[in-house]
mmCIF file of all heavy atoms in Angstrom:
data_model
loop_
_atom_site.group_PDB
_atom_site.id
_atom_site.type_symbol
_atom_site.label_atom_id
_atom_site.label_comp_id
_atom_site.label_asym_id
_atom_site.label_seq_id
_atom_site.Cartn_x
_atom_site.Cartn_y
_atom_site.Cartn_z
ATOM 1 N N MET A 51 0.847 -1.176 -0.024
ATOM 2 C CA MET A 51 -0.060 0.036 0.014
ATOM 3 C C MET A 51 0.866 1.228 -0.011
ATOM 4 O O MET A 51 1.916 1.289 0.635
ATOM 5 C CB MET A 51 -0.916 -0.023 1.189
ATOM 6 C CG MET A 51 -1.861 1.040 1.307
ATOM 7 S SD MET A 51 -2.943 1.103 2.779
ATOM 8 C CE MET A 51 -3.777 -0.396 2.584
ATOM 9 N N ARG A 52 0.485 2.267 -0.801
ATOM 10 C CA ARG A 52 1.266 3.479 -0.909
ATOM 11 C C ARG A 52 0.306 4.668 -0.707
ATOM 12 O O ARG A 52 -0.773 4.662 -0.980
ATOM 13 C CB ARG A 52 1.924 3.682 -2.263
ATOM 14 C CG ARG A 52 2.912 2.826 -2.621
ATOM 15 C CD ARG A 52 3.547 3.015 -4.057
ATOM 16 N NE ARG A 52 2.479 3.385 -5.016
ATOM 17 C CZ ARG A 52 2.692 4.367 -5.955
ATOM 18 N NH1 ARG A 52 3.820 4.922 -6.046
ATOM 19 N NH2 ARG A 52 1.807 4.528 -6.740
ATOM 20 N N ILE A 53 0.921 5.774 -0.159
ATOM 21 C CA ILE A 53 0.214 7.060 -0.044
ATOM 22 C C ILE A 53 0.446 7.879 -1.175
ATOM 23 O O ILE A 53 1.646 7.987 -1.655
ATOM 24 C CB ILE A 53 0.667 7.823 1.237
ATOM 25 C CG1 ILE A 53 0.632 6.878 2.483
ATOM 26 C CG2 ILE A 53 -0.209 9.014 1.405
ATOM 27 C CD1 ILE A 53 1.211 7.528 3.616
ATOM 28 N N LEU A 54 -0.546 8.460 -1.811
ATOM 29 C CA LEU A 54 -0.341 9.454 -2.882
ATOM 30 C C LEU A 54 -0.829 10.786 -2.483
ATOM 31 O O LEU A 54 -1.897 10.882 -1.911
ATOM 32 C CB LEU A 54 -1.027 8.924 -4.162
ATOM 33 C CG LEU A 54 -0.708 7.591 -4.608
ATOM 34 C CD1 LEU A 54 -1.532 7.143 -5.745
ATOM 35 C CD2 LEU A 54 0.826 7.593 -5.103
ATOM 36 N N ALA A 55 -0.110 11.824 -2.710
ATOM 37 C CA ALA A 55 -0.477 13.196 -2.455
ATOM 38 C C ALA A 55 -0.593 14.026 -3.652
ATOM 39 O O ALA A 55 0.300 14.052 -4.517
ATOM 40 C CB ALA A 55 0.485 13.844 -1.494
ATOM 41 N N ASP A 56 -1.722 14.802 -3.720
ATOM 42 C CA ASP A 56 -1.874 15.719 -4.786
ATOM 43 C C ASP A 56 -1.568 17.152 -4.209
ATOM 44 O O ASP A 56 -2.448 17.825 -3.596
ATOM 45 C CB ASP A 56 -3.377 15.719 -5.255
ATOM 46 C CG ASP A 56 -3.730 16.583 -6.440
ATOM 47 O OD1 ASP A 56 -2.880 17.493 -6.657
ATOM 48 O OD2 ASP A 56 -4.741 16.506 -7.065
ATOM 49 N N ARG A 57 -0.391 17.534 -4.466
ATOM 50 C CA ARG A 57 0.163 18.773 -3.860
ATOM 51 C C ARG A 57 -0.582 20.001 -4.382
ATOM 52 O O ARG A 57 -0.634 20.968 -3.719
ATOM 53 C CB ARG A 57 1.689 18.863 -4.046
ATOM 54 C CG ARG A 57 2.466 17.925 -3.078
ATOM 55 C CD ARG A 57 3.937 18.021 -3.363
ATOM 56 N NE ARG A 57 4.577 19.222 -3.314
ATOM 57 C CZ ARG A 57 4.944 19.939 -2.330
ATOM 58 N NH1 ARG A 57 4.890 19.467 -1.061
ATOM 59 N NH2 ARG A 57 5.476 21.170 -2.422
ATOM 60 N N ALA A 58 -1.077 19.901 -5.590
ATOM 61 C CA ALA A 58 -1.757 20.948 -6.214
ATOM 62 C C ALA A 58 -3.140 21.138 -5.553
ATOM 63 O O ALA A 58 -3.604 22.329 -5.519
ATOM 64 C CB ALA A 58 -1.992 20.759 -7.685
ATOM 65 N N ARG A 59 -3.702 20.163 -5.025
ATOM 66 C CA ARG A 59 -5.001 20.159 -4.405
ATOM 67 C C ARG A 59 -4.805 20.616 -2.896
ATOM 68 O O ARG A 59 -5.825 21.156 -2.300
ATOM 69 C CB ARG A 59 -5.675 18.854 -4.517
ATOM 70 C CG ARG A 59 -7.063 18.751 -3.786
ATOM 71 C CD ARG A 59 -7.671 17.498 -4.061
ATOM 72 N NE ARG A 59 -8.547 17.743 -5.211
ATOM 73 C CZ ARG A 59 -9.496 17.005 -5.623
ATOM 74 N NH1 ARG A 59 -9.684 15.882 -5.074
ATOM 75 N NH2 ARG A 59 -10.253 17.300 -6.657
ATOM 76 N N CYS A 60 -3.676 20.343 -2.317
ATOM 77 C CA CYS A 60 -3.479 20.503 -0.904
ATOM 78 C C CYS A 60 -3.591 21.996 -0.547
ATOM 79 O O CYS A 60 -3.091 22.782 -1.275
ATOM 80 C CB CYS A 60 -2.055 20.028 -0.453
ATOM 81 S SG CYS A 60 -1.634 20.240 1.339
ATOM 82 N N GLU A 61 -4.272 22.218 0.577
ATOM 83 C CA GLU A 61 -4.408 23.628 1.010
ATOM 84 C C GLU A 61 -3.694 23.914 2.363
ATOM 85 O O GLU A 61 -3.839 24.893 3.015
ATOM 86 C CB GLU A 61 -5.900 24.002 1.137
ATOM 87 C CG GLU A 61 -6.724 24.038 -0.158
ATOM 88 C CD GLU A 61 -8.091 24.422 -0.038
ATOM 89 O OE1 GLU A 61 -8.630 24.516 1.085
ATOM 90 O OE2 GLU A 61 -8.727 24.449 -1.124
ATOM 91 N N GLY A 62 -2.879 22.922 2.818
ATOM 92 C CA GLY A 62 -2.119 23.093 4.031
ATOM 93 C C GLY A 62 -2.875 23.101 5.255
ATOM 94 O O GLY A 62 -2.390 23.651 6.275
ATOM 95 N N HIS A 63 -4.002 22.368 5.375
ATOM 96 C CA HIS A 63 -4.785 22.411 6.693
ATOM 97 C C HIS A 63 -4.041 21.696 7.833
ATOM 98 O O HIS A 63 -4.095 21.928 8.976
ATOM 99 C CB HIS A 63 -6.116 21.719 6.427
ATOM 100 C CG HIS A 63 -7.055 22.416 5.551
ATOM 101 N ND1 HIS A 63 -7.783 23.574 6.080
ATOM 102 C CD2 HIS A 63 -7.288 22.389 4.243
ATOM 103 C CE1 HIS A 63 -8.503 23.945 5.061
ATOM 104 N NE2 HIS A 63 -8.227 23.326 3.936
ATOM 105 N N GLY A 64 -3.157 20.699 7.465
ATOM 106 C CA GLY A 64 -2.310 20.064 8.412
ATOM 107 C C GLY A 64 -2.911 18.899 9.171
ATOM 108 O O GLY A 64 -2.315 18.375 10.219
ATOM 109 N N MET A 65 -4.107 18.415 8.804
ATOM 110 C CA MET A 65 -4.695 17.276 9.563
ATOM 111 C C MET A 65 -3.844 16.110 9.440
ATOM 112 O O MET A 65 -3.719 15.358 10.510
ATOM 113 C CB MET A 65 -6.094 17.064 9.022
ATOM 114 C CG MET A 65 -7.124 18.247 9.142
ATOM 115 S SD MET A 65 -7.362 18.602 10.908
ATOM 116 C CE MET A 65 -8.153 17.161 11.527
ATOM 117 N N CYS A 66 -3.357 15.774 8.340
ATOM 118 C CA CYS A 66 -2.462 14.621 8.106
ATOM 119 C C CYS A 66 -1.229 14.720 9.035
ATOM 120 O O CYS A 66 -0.908 13.783 9.658
ATOM 121 C CB CYS A 66 -2.084 14.475 6.682
ATOM 122 S SG CYS A 66 -1.233 16.026 5.962
ATOM 123 N N GLU A 67 -0.586 15.851 9.110
ATOM 124 C CA GLU A 67 0.614 15.942 9.943
ATOM 125 C C GLU A 67 0.303 15.784 11.358
ATOM 126 O O GLU A 67 1.003 15.278 12.139
ATOM 127 C CB GLU A 67 1.306 17.438 9.576
ATOM 128 C CG GLU A 67 2.564 17.538 10.439
ATOM 129 C CD GLU A 67 3.212 18.865 10.111
ATOM 130 O OE1 GLU A 67 2.509 19.844 9.692
ATOM 131 O OE2 GLU A 67 4.431 18.923 10.395
ATOM 132 N N ALA A 68 -0.903 16.383 11.770
ATOM 133 C CA ALA A 68 -1.278 16.303 13.226
ATOM 134 C C ALA A 68 -1.578 14.732 13.537
ATOM 135 O O ALA A 68 -1.139 14.439 14.675
ATOM 136 C CB ALA A 68 -2.550 17.101 13.469
ATOM 137 N N LEU A 69 -2.031 13.950 12.673
ATOM 138 C CA LEU A 69 -2.317 12.681 13.023
ATOM 139 C C LEU A 69 -1.197 11.634 12.791
ATOM 140 O O LEU A 69 -1.020 10.808 13.491
ATOM 141 C CB LEU A 69 -3.570 12.113 12.037
ATOM 142 C CG LEU A 69 -4.818 12.724 12.441
ATOM 143 C CD1 LEU A 69 -5.808 12.463 11.274
ATOM 144 C CD2 LEU A 69 -5.329 12.146 13.693
ATOM 145 N N ALA A 70 -0.236 11.997 11.875
ATOM 146 C CA ALA A 70 0.817 11.130 11.533
ATOM 147 C C ALA A 70 2.153 11.933 11.120
ATOM 148 O O ALA A 70 2.568 11.920 10.006
ATOM 149 C CB ALA A 70 0.459 10.156 10.404
ATOM 150 N N PRO A 71 2.618 12.576 12.168
ATOM 151 C CA PRO A 71 3.741 13.382 11.891
ATOM 152 C C PRO A 71 5.080 12.692 11.423
ATOM 153 O O PRO A 71 5.986 13.330 10.972
ATOM 154 C CB PRO A 71 4.018 14.120 13.249
ATOM 155 C CG PRO A 71 3.474 13.226 14.251
ATOM 156 C CD PRO A 71 2.303 12.568 13.498
ATOM 157 N N ASN A 72 5.101 11.400 11.501
ATOM 158 C CA ASN A 72 6.195 10.654 11.051
ATOM 159 C C ASN A 72 6.129 10.294 9.569
ATOM 160 O O ASN A 72 7.029 9.906 8.930
ATOM 161 C CB ASN A 72 6.318 9.309 11.856
ATOM 162 C CG ASN A 72 5.090 8.422 11.766
ATOM 163 O OD1 ASN A 72 3.967 8.920 11.638
ATOM 164 N ND2 ASN A 72 5.189 7.137 11.648
ATOM 165 N N LEU A 73 4.933 10.686 8.966
ATOM 166 C CA LEU A 73 4.728 10.428 7.541
ATOM 167 C C LEU A 73 4.505 11.659 6.751
ATOM 168 O O LEU A 73 4.623 11.633 5.527
ATOM 169 C CB LEU A 73 3.746 9.363 7.257
ATOM 170 C CG LEU A 73 3.987 8.005 7.708
ATOM 171 C CD1 LEU A 73 2.790 7.030 7.625
ATOM 172 C CD2 LEU A 73 5.141 7.367 6.802
ATOM 173 N N PHE A 74 3.922 12.778 7.411
ATOM 174 C CA PHE A 74 3.505 13.899 6.639
ATOM 175 C C PHE A 74 4.083 15.201 7.244
ATOM 176 O O PHE A 74 4.289 15.195 8.540
ATOM 177 C CB PHE A 74 1.993 14.089 6.717
ATOM 178 C CG PHE A 74 1.208 12.917 6.185
ATOM 179 C CD1 PHE A 74 0.612 12.039 7.010
ATOM 180 C CD2 PHE A 74 1.022 12.832 4.813
ATOM 181 C CE1 PHE A 74 -0.116 10.974 6.549
ATOM 182 C CE2 PHE A 74 0.171 11.808 4.270
ATOM 183 C CZ PHE A 74 -0.230 10.875 5.131
ATOM 184 N N ARG A 75 4.499 16.173 6.447
ATOM 185 C CA ARG A 75 4.870 17.430 6.847
ATOM 186 C C ARG A 75 4.233 18.551 5.951
ATOM 187 O O ARG A 75 3.964 18.378 4.783
ATOM 188 C CB ARG A 75 6.347 17.742 6.702
ATOM 189 C CG ARG A 75 7.199 16.928 7.737
ATOM 190 C CD ARG A 75 7.256 17.687 9.062
ATOM 191 N NE ARG A 75 8.235 17.069 9.927
ATOM 192 C CZ ARG A 75 7.921 16.120 10.833
ATOM 193 N NH1 ARG A 75 6.685 15.741 10.815
ATOM 194 N NH2 ARG A 75 8.783 15.536 11.529
ATOM 195 N N ILE A 76 3.839 19.648 6.485
ATOM 196 C CA ILE A 76 3.457 20.774 5.706
ATOM 197 C C ILE A 76 4.579 21.656 5.585
ATOM 198 O O ILE A 76 5.271 22.197 6.432
ATOM 199 C CB ILE A 76 2.296 21.521 6.366
ATOM 200 C CG1 ILE A 76 1.035 20.557 6.583
ATOM 201 C CG2 ILE A 76 1.879 22.720 5.548
ATOM 202 C CD1 ILE A 76 0.435 19.976 5.390
ATOM 203 N N ASP A 77 5.032 21.923 4.272
ATOM 204 C CA ASP A 77 6.244 22.635 3.955
ATOM 205 C C ASP A 77 5.999 24.134 4.084
ATOM 206 O O ASP A 77 4.875 24.655 4.429
ATOM 207 C CB ASP A 77 6.923 22.230 2.626
ATOM 208 C CG ASP A 77 6.126 22.623 1.480
ATOM 209 O OD1 ASP A 77 5.050 23.331 1.584
ATOM 210 O OD2 ASP A 77 6.370 22.200 0.351
ATOM 211 N N ASP A 78 7.089 24.875 3.913
ATOM 212 C CA ASP A 78 7.068 26.383 3.929
ATOM 213 C C ASP A 78 6.027 26.968 2.948
ATOM 214 O O ASP A 78 5.533 28.146 3.189
ATOM 215 C CB ASP A 78 8.384 26.935 3.717
ATOM 216 C CG ASP A 78 9.390 26.628 4.925
ATOM 217 O OD1 ASP A 78 8.863 26.290 5.969
ATOM 218 O OD2 ASP A 78 10.593 26.673 4.633
ATOM 219 N N ASP A 79 5.726 26.255 1.849
ATOM 220 C CA ASP A 79 4.764 26.696 0.874
ATOM 221 C C ASP A 79 3.338 26.327 1.351
ATOM 222 O O ASP A 79 2.352 26.716 0.551
ATOM 223 C CB ASP A 79 5.041 26.097 -0.496
ATOM 224 C CG ASP A 79 6.382 26.613 -1.089
ATOM 225 O OD1 ASP A 79 6.752 27.680 -0.733
ATOM 226 O OD2 ASP A 79 6.999 25.817 -1.840
ATOM 227 N N GLY A 80 3.172 25.637 2.421
ATOM 228 C CA GLY A 80 1.877 25.295 2.844
ATOM 229 C C GLY A 80 1.247 24.108 2.188
ATOM 230 O O GLY A 80 0.017 23.975 2.199
ATOM 231 N N THR A 81 2.089 23.234 1.696
ATOM 232 C CA THR A 81 1.616 21.981 0.979
ATOM 233 C C THR A 81 2.207 20.806 1.594
ATOM 234 O O THR A 81 3.268 20.842 2.185
ATOM 235 C CB THR A 81 1.800 21.943 -0.632
ATOM 236 O OG1 THR A 81 3.140 22.195 -0.793
ATOM 237 C CG2 THR A 81 0.939 23.151 -1.202
ATOM 238 N N VAL A 82 1.470 19.620 1.492
ATOM 239 C CA VAL A 82 1.918 18.402 2.192
ATOM 240 C C VAL A 82 3.158 17.837 1.463
ATOM 241 O O VAL A 82 3.374 17.958 0.241
ATOM 242 C CB VAL A 82 0.784 17.426 2.087
ATOM 243 C CG1 VAL A 82 0.469 16.892 0.721
ATOM 244 C CG2 VAL A 82 1.100 16.276 3.014
ATOM 245 N N VAL A 83 3.913 17.259 2.264
ATOM 246 C CA VAL A 83 5.281 16.582 1.821
ATOM 247 C C VAL A 83 5.174 15.211 2.464
ATOM 248 O O VAL A 83 4.957 15.046 3.672
ATOM 249 C CB VAL A 83 6.541 17.229 2.246
ATOM 250 C CG1 VAL A 83 7.727 16.423 1.915
ATOM 251 C CG2 VAL A 83 6.660 18.609 1.654
ATOM 252 N N LEU A 84 5.260 14.096 1.624
ATOM 253 C CA LEU A 84 5.239 12.756 2.142
ATOM 254 C C LEU A 84 6.732 12.394 2.579
ATOM 255 O O LEU A 84 7.681 12.576 1.892
ATOM 256 C CB LEU A 84 4.832 11.820 0.995
ATOM 257 C CG LEU A 84 3.500 11.882 0.600
ATOM 258 C CD1 LEU A 84 3.236 10.843 -0.581
ATOM 259 C CD2 LEU A 84 2.409 11.663 1.654
ATOM 260 N N LEU A 85 6.848 12.016 3.833
ATOM 261 C CA LEU A 85 8.167 11.562 4.223
ATOM 262 C C LEU A 85 8.482 10.122 3.874
ATOM 263 O O LEU A 85 9.587 9.764 3.816
ATOM 264 C CB LEU A 85 8.172 11.725 5.792
ATOM 265 C CG LEU A 85 7.946 13.196 6.294
ATOM 266 C CD1 LEU A 85 8.000 13.154 7.823
ATOM 267 C CD2 LEU A 85 8.876 14.164 5.677
ATOM 268 N N SER A 86 7.346 9.393 3.512
ATOM 269 C CA SER A 86 7.435 8.028 2.985
ATOM 270 C C SER A 86 6.233 7.702 2.289
ATOM 271 O O SER A 86 5.104 7.965 2.809
ATOM 272 C CB SER A 86 7.770 6.998 4.224
ATOM 273 O OG SER A 86 7.700 5.686 3.677
ATOM 274 N N GLU A 87 6.368 7.155 1.164
ATOM 275 C CA GLU A 87 5.155 6.646 0.293
ATOM 276 C C GLU A 87 4.631 5.349 0.904
ATOM 277 O O GLU A 87 3.461 5.025 0.752
ATOM 278 C CB GLU A 87 5.540 6.677 -1.127
ATOM 279 C CG GLU A 87 5.615 7.942 -1.733
ATOM 280 C CD GLU A 87 5.847 7.848 -3.295
ATOM 281 O OE1 GLU A 87 5.867 6.797 -3.751
ATOM 282 O OE2 GLU A 87 6.079 8.867 -3.889
ATOM 283 N N ALA A 88 5.536 4.504 1.346
ATOM 284 C CA ALA A 88 5.223 3.144 1.832
ATOM 285 C C ALA A 88 4.485 3.282 3.256
ATOM 286 O O ALA A 88 4.904 4.044 4.038
ATOM 287 C CB ALA A 88 6.468 2.271 1.916
ATOM 288 N N VAL A 89 3.460 2.362 3.371
ATOM 289 C CA VAL A 89 2.763 2.283 4.615
ATOM 290 C C VAL A 89 3.038 0.983 5.366
ATOM 291 O O VAL A 89 2.893 -0.018 4.634
ATOM 292 C CB VAL A 89 1.236 2.465 4.331
ATOM 293 C CG1 VAL A 89 0.481 2.234 5.537
ATOM 294 C CG2 VAL A 89 0.899 3.718 3.607
ATOM 295 N N ALA A 90 3.539 0.985 6.470
ATOM 296 C CA ALA A 90 3.809 -0.202 7.265
ATOM 297 C C ALA A 90 2.386 -0.789 7.730
ATOM 298 O O ALA A 90 1.540 -0.014 7.985
ATOM 299 C CB ALA A 90 4.749 0.077 8.374
ATOM 300 N N ALA A 91 2.385 -2.081 7.779
ATOM 301 C CA ALA A 91 1.118 -2.685 8.164
ATOM 302 C C ALA A 91 0.645 -2.236 9.493
ATOM 303 O O ALA A 91 -0.580 -1.935 9.697
ATOM 304 C CB ALA A 91 1.310 -4.151 8.167
ATOM 305 N N ALA A 92 1.535 -1.945 10.408
ATOM 306 C CA ALA A 92 1.095 -1.473 11.673
ATOM 307 C C ALA A 92 0.599 -0.119 11.769
ATOM 308 O O ALA A 92 -0.250 0.328 12.667
ATOM 309 C CB ALA A 92 2.406 -1.462 12.686
ATOM 310 N N ASP A 93 0.810 0.741 10.628
ATOM 311 C CA ASP A 93 0.325 2.120 10.578
ATOM 312 C C ASP A 93 -0.930 2.257 9.647
ATOM 313 O O ASP A 93 -1.410 3.381 9.445
ATOM 314 C CB ASP A 93 1.413 3.047 9.943
ATOM 315 C CG ASP A 93 2.563 3.213 10.989
ATOM 316 O OD1 ASP A 93 2.329 3.086 12.162
ATOM 317 O OD2 ASP A 93 3.681 3.368 10.482
ATOM 318 N N GLU A 94 -1.386 1.159 8.997
ATOM 319 C CA GLU A 94 -2.471 1.310 8.000
ATOM 320 C C GLU A 94 -3.778 1.965 8.630
ATOM 321 O O GLU A 94 -4.218 2.760 7.897
ATOM 322 C CB GLU A 94 -2.796 -0.061 7.586
ATOM 323 C CG GLU A 94 -1.766 -0.747 6.662
ATOM 324 C CD GLU A 94 -2.124 -1.981 5.948
ATOM 325 O OE1 GLU A 94 -3.278 -2.480 6.232
ATOM 326 O OE2 GLU A 94 -1.277 -2.510 5.258
ATOM 327 N N GLU A 95 -4.076 1.675 9.811
ATOM 328 C CA GLU A 95 -5.298 2.244 10.263
ATOM 329 C C GLU A 95 -5.108 3.732 10.487
ATOM 330 O O GLU A 95 -6.060 4.542 10.215
ATOM 331 C CB GLU A 95 -5.696 1.611 11.647
ATOM 332 C CG GLU A 95 -7.048 1.980 12.062
ATOM 333 C CD GLU A 95 -7.513 1.119 13.321
ATOM 334 O OE1 GLU A 95 -7.293 0.006 13.363
ATOM 335 O OE2 GLU A 95 -8.078 1.773 14.270
ATOM 336 N N LEU A 96 -4.002 4.148 11.077
ATOM 337 C CA LEU A 96 -3.646 5.577 11.276
ATOM 338 C C LEU A 96 -3.572 6.299 10.017
ATOM 339 O O LEU A 96 -4.144 7.388 9.904
ATOM 340 C CB LEU A 96 -2.364 5.716 12.099
ATOM 341 C CG LEU A 96 -1.887 7.097 12.280
ATOM 342 C CD1 LEU A 96 -2.956 7.975 13.150
ATOM 343 C CD2 LEU A 96 -0.545 7.102 12.982
ATOM 344 N N ILE A 97 -2.911 5.716 9.017
ATOM 345 C CA ILE A 97 -2.809 6.355 7.699
ATOM 346 C C ILE A 97 -4.163 6.513 6.985
ATOM 347 O O ILE A 97 -4.516 7.498 6.367
ATOM 348 C CB ILE A 97 -1.738 5.655 6.755
ATOM 349 C CG1 ILE A 97 -0.468 5.621 7.399
ATOM 350 C CG2 ILE A 97 -1.847 6.192 5.359
ATOM 351 C CD1 ILE A 97 0.116 6.905 7.785
ATOM 352 N N ALA A 98 -4.987 5.480 7.140
ATOM 353 C CA ALA A 98 -6.372 5.569 6.562
ATOM 354 C C ALA A 98 -7.174 6.725 7.192
ATOM 355 O O ALA A 98 -7.841 7.512 6.539
ATOM 356 C CB ALA A 98 -7.102 4.270 6.756
ATOM 357 N N LEU A 99 -7.033 6.890 8.518
ATOM 358 C CA LEU A 99 -7.606 8.063 9.244
ATOM 359 C C LEU A 99 -7.040 9.403 8.718
ATOM 360 O O LEU A 99 -7.897 10.322 8.501
ATOM 361 C CB LEU A 99 -7.374 7.862 10.743
ATOM 362 C CG LEU A 99 -7.973 9.014 11.633
ATOM 363 C CD1 LEU A 99 -9.437 9.110 11.514
ATOM 364 C CD2 LEU A 99 -7.643 8.730 13.077
ATOM 365 N N ALA A 100 -5.732 9.504 8.580
ATOM 366 C CA ALA A 100 -5.211 10.724 8.007
ATOM 367 C C ALA A 100 -5.655 11.005 6.719
ATOM 368 O O ALA A 100 -6.003 12.221 6.361
ATOM 369 C CB ALA A 100 -3.622 10.527 8.090
ATOM 370 N N VAL A 101 -5.764 10.077 5.822
ATOM 371 C CA VAL A 101 -6.216 10.207 4.455
ATOM 372 C C VAL A 101 -7.668 10.659 4.479
ATOM 373 O O VAL A 101 -8.130 11.604 3.810
ATOM 374 C CB VAL A 101 -6.051 8.880 3.546
ATOM 375 C CG1 VAL A 101 -6.857 9.063 2.243
ATOM 376 C CG2 VAL A 101 -4.584 8.723 3.396
ATOM 377 N N ASP A 102 -8.555 10.036 5.307
ATOM 378 C CA ASP A 102 -9.955 10.364 5.387
ATOM 379 C C ASP A 102 -10.119 11.789 6.010
ATOM 380 O O ASP A 102 -11.166 12.410 5.837
ATOM 381 C CB ASP A 102 -10.693 9.321 6.205
ATOM 382 C CG ASP A 102 -10.902 8.059 5.441
ATOM 383 O OD1 ASP A 102 -10.718 8.018 4.275
ATOM 384 O OD2 ASP A 102 -11.141 7.032 6.172
ATOM 385 N N SER A 103 -9.253 12.218 6.882
ATOM 386 C CA SER A 103 -9.375 13.563 7.561
ATOM 387 C C SER A 103 -8.986 14.769 6.603
ATOM 388 O O SER A 103 -9.306 15.806 6.961
ATOM 389 C CB SER A 103 -8.428 13.526 8.851
ATOM 390 O OG SER A 103 -7.126 13.758 8.321
ATOM 391 N N CYS A 104 -8.466 14.510 5.482
ATOM 392 C CA CYS A 104 -8.043 15.580 4.560
ATOM 393 C C CYS A 104 -9.337 16.270 4.057
ATOM 394 O O CYS A 104 -10.069 15.751 3.364
ATOM 395 C CB CYS A 104 -7.217 15.102 3.405
ATOM 396 S SG CYS A 104 -6.719 16.476 2.329
ATOM 397 N N PRO A 105 -9.498 17.580 4.403
ATOM 398 C CA PRO A 105 -10.823 18.318 4.017
ATOM 399 C C PRO A 105 -10.882 18.526 2.475
ATOM 400 O O PRO A 105 -12.031 18.752 1.988
ATOM 401 C CB PRO A 105 -10.731 19.495 4.793
ATOM 402 C CG PRO A 105 -9.289 19.802 5.147
ATOM 403 C CD PRO A 105 -8.733 18.423 5.163
ATOM 404 N N VAL A 106 -9.769 18.456 1.759
ATOM 405 C CA VAL A 106 -9.796 18.691 0.354
ATOM 406 C C VAL A 106 -9.462 17.415 -0.526
ATOM 407 O O VAL A 106 -9.267 17.560 -1.699
ATOM 408 C CB VAL A 106 -8.843 19.966 -0.077
ATOM 409 C CG1 VAL A 106 -9.305 21.135 0.571
ATOM 410 C CG2 VAL A 106 -7.387 19.581 0.308
ATOM 411 N N GLN A 107 -9.257 16.326 0.180
ATOM 412 C CA GLN A 107 -9.108 14.945 -0.429
ATOM 413 C C GLN A 107 -7.838 14.969 -1.281
ATOM 414 O O GLN A 107 -7.772 14.556 -2.488
ATOM 415 C CB GLN A 107 -10.360 14.576 -1.285
ATOM 416 C CG GLN A 107 -11.607 14.411 -0.480
ATOM 417 C CD GLN A 107 -12.873 14.108 -1.212
ATOM 418 O OE1 GLN A 107 -12.850 14.333 -2.390
ATOM 419 N NE2 GLN A 107 -13.832 13.621 -0.514
ATOM 420 N N ALA A 108 -6.805 15.585 -0.760
ATOM 421 C CA ALA A 108 -5.529 15.623 -1.406
ATOM 422 C C ALA A 108 -4.676 14.437 -1.188
ATOM 423 O O ALA A 108 -3.621 14.272 -1.964
ATOM 424 C CB ALA A 108 -4.672 16.830 -0.979
ATOM 425 N N LEU A 109 -5.109 13.524 -0.421
ATOM 426 C CA LEU A 109 -4.417 12.287 -0.114
ATOM 427 C C LEU A 109 -5.281 10.995 -0.489
ATOM 428 O O LEU A 109 -6.518 11.120 -0.386
ATOM 429 C CB LEU A 109 -4.139 12.201 1.423
ATOM 430 C CG LEU A 109 -3.309 13.247 1.910
ATOM 431 C CD1 LEU A 109 -3.194 13.115 3.433
ATOM 432 C CD2 LEU A 109 -1.876 13.227 1.379
ATOM 433 N N ARG A 110 -4.565 9.983 -1.028
ATOM 434 C CA ARG A 110 -5.328 8.791 -1.121
ATOM 435 C C ARG A 110 -4.293 7.614 -1.095
ATOM 436 O O ARG A 110 -3.123 7.771 -1.023
ATOM 437 C CB ARG A 110 -5.969 8.748 -2.500
ATOM 438 C CG ARG A 110 -5.091 8.737 -3.750
ATOM 439 C CD ARG A 110 -5.876 8.831 -5.027
ATOM 440 N NE ARG A 110 -5.005 8.940 -6.153
ATOM 441 C CZ ARG A 110 -4.603 7.851 -6.924
ATOM 442 N NH1 ARG A 110 -5.115 6.602 -6.727
ATOM 443 N NH2 ARG A 110 -3.791 8.003 -7.969
ATOM 444 N N LEU A 111 -4.920 6.442 -0.819
ATOM 445 C CA LEU A 111 -4.202 5.212 -0.728
ATOM 446 C C LEU A 111 -4.297 4.401 -2.163
ATOM 447 O O LEU A 111 -5.270 4.354 -2.675
ATOM 448 C CB LEU A 111 -4.599 4.316 0.436
ATOM 449 C CG LEU A 111 -4.465 5.020 1.837
ATOM 450 C CD1 LEU A 111 -5.101 4.148 2.843
ATOM 451 C CD2 LEU A 111 -3.003 5.044 2.159
ATOM 452 N N ASP A 112 -3.040 3.825 -2.521
ATOM 453 C CA ASP A 112 -3.090 3.092 -3.668
ATOM 454 C C ASP A 112 -2.601 1.568 -3.305
ATOM 455 O O ASP A 112 -1.790 1.486 -2.588
ATOM 456 C CB ASP A 112 -2.073 3.704 -4.666
ATOM 457 C CG ASP A 112 -2.045 3.034 -6.028
ATOM 458 O OD1 ASP A 112 -3.113 2.580 -6.494
ATOM 459 O OD2 ASP A 112 -0.947 2.905 -6.504
#
C-alpha cells in the first residue's frame, strides 16, 4: 500500500501532519510533503484516518 499526495490540491490544513507526523509534513509553501510513500502494516489504520481527514481530499491510498 502506498500514499499518494496531490500537492496541487493540498491547502495546508495540516490534519495529516497532526495525525501522523512521522509520515507527513506541511512545508514552507503550505503543502503536504510525504516523508515516506510506503505504509507499514502497523500504521495502516492511522494512515487511513489521516487520508480520510483531509478536507480537500488531497491524499489517497493506492
